[in-house]
Amino acid sequence: MIKYNQQKMKNIFIVLGMFLGIAVFAASCGDSKKAKPTETKEENKKNMEAGNVKEVYFAGGCFWGTEHLFQQVRGVVGTEVGYANGKTKNPTYEEVVSHTTGFTEAVKVKYDADEVDLKLLIELYFKSIDPTTLNRQGNDVGDNYRSGIYFTDKNTEAIVKAEVEKLAKNYSKPVVVEVETLKNFYRAEDFHQDYLNANPGGYCHIEPGLFEEAKNANPPKAKK
């Protein structure tokens, strides 16, 4: 019953968020000063073209909060929420939360390796979860909320495995974070993308103070 009520609560947030999103969109259309998404995208595009861009995938409970966390970090040039390492094709949110697809909610993180260290991203990720809890983060329960870090190249694999092994020594219980090659990843519905930017009061399992910590975790390098 608890698990049902928790999922029901999140679904209520989704419905409320849809109505709020429509209202915010309508209000913002009349005032171009409130948001400049095109400029942000262009800036990220320039960073991706000029930098040493790598990618890694993090699963840590509800992907709304995890995406918002990494969006705060200087050097992260792009994020996208979706469903990782499942056994079907093109899953919907409803199918994923039914616990029949094997997918976990995950965030694709693109970062400029010349601007931010992958080890820092992993450290922030560990602070956002309980790495000793299987198939649960906060109020989010089920295999679709299992924790994991997924990679697509050998160099990233080596860094992730070494860092997770090091951080695991800080816990008295076994760390159950999956560390695996990315098998598949499907982009989630548009409604889920940049959710907490569009809905600042939306559901999130991550302590708000960590977002501020992430903002300050990678300050600009001093000019010589």
Side-chain angles (χ1 to χ4, degrees):
M1 181 62 70
I2 292 175
K3 179 178 178 181
Y4 172 78
N5 288 337
Q6 290 168 339
Q7 186 61 57
K8 184 177 180 181
M9 182 180 295
K10 184 178 177 183
N11 288 339
I12 290 174
F13 271 109
I14 290 176
V15 174
L16 292 176
M18 290 178 67
F19 287 108
L20 179 60
I22 292 173
V24 171
F25 176 76
S28 64
C29 285
D31 187 354
S32 60
K33 295 181 180 180
K34 292 183 179 180
K36 299 181 179 180
T38 301
E39 290 184 10
T40 300
K41 289 181 179 179
E42 287 300 319
E43 182 179 354
N44 284 345
K45 184 177 179 181
K46 290 179 180 179
N47 288 340
M48 291 176 67
E49 291 174 347
N52 179 20
V53 177
K54 306 287 186 181
E55 66 180 37
V56 64
Y57 298 72
F58 292 97
C62 176
F63 49 21
W64 295 344
T66 305
E67 178 183 42
H68 195 65
L69 174 69
F70 288 114
Q71 287 177 335
Q72 310 309 309
V73 183
R74 191 186 70 84
V76 170
V77 298
T79 60
E80 182 177 72
V81 300
Y83 313 115
N85 283 21
K87 56 188 179 182
T88 62
K89 292 183 178 181
N90 300 309
T92 63
Y93 175 78
E94 290 72 19
E95 291 171 342
V96 171
V97 299
S98 72
H99 311 296
T100 60
T101 66
F103 281 97
T104 184
E105 292 191 11
V107 181
K108 177 180 181 180
V109 176
K110 288 190 173 183
Y111 64 98
D112 184 345
D114 292 335
E115 294 293 334
V116 62
D117 194 335
L118 175 56
K119 294 178 182 178
L120 174 61
L121 300 183
I122 298 172
E123 289 174 6
L124 289 170
Y125 164 75
F126 261 70
K127 289 182 178 181
S128 74
I129 64 171
D130 178 352
T132 68
T133 302
L134 183 65
N135 295 338
R136 177 171 187 165
Q137 292 301 325
N139 293 327
D140 305 317
V141 182
D143 64 336
N144 55 306
Y145 294 119
R146 68 185 184 274
S147 302
I149 306 177
Y150 311 107
F151 37 78
T152 58
D153 64 87
K154 293 295 184 181
N155 183 58
T156 301
E157 175 181 2
I159 296 172
V160 170
K161 287 184 174 180
E163 192 64 16
V164 169
E165 182 178 353
K166 184 186 78 172
L167 293 173
K169 296 177 181 178
N170 298 327
Y171 300 87
S172 58
K173 297 179 181 179
V175 165
V176 294
V177 175
E178 291 184 339
V179 178
E180 299 179 356
T181 299
L182 184 75
K183 299 172 184 175
N184 48 27
F185 178 82
Y186 293 94
R187 187 179 190 275
E189 295 83 346
D190 289 344
F191 168 75
H192 294 292
Q193 308 297 328
D194 300 312
Y195 181 83
L196 289 181
N197 286 335
N199 305 277
Y203 169 80
C204 182
H205 66 289
I206 297 176
E207 197 278 317
L210 187 56
F211 296 135
E212 190 65 27
E213 181 178 339
K215 283 183 181 179
N216 301 316
N218 186 37
K221 298 175 182 178
K223 294 183 179 180
K224 296 181 180 181

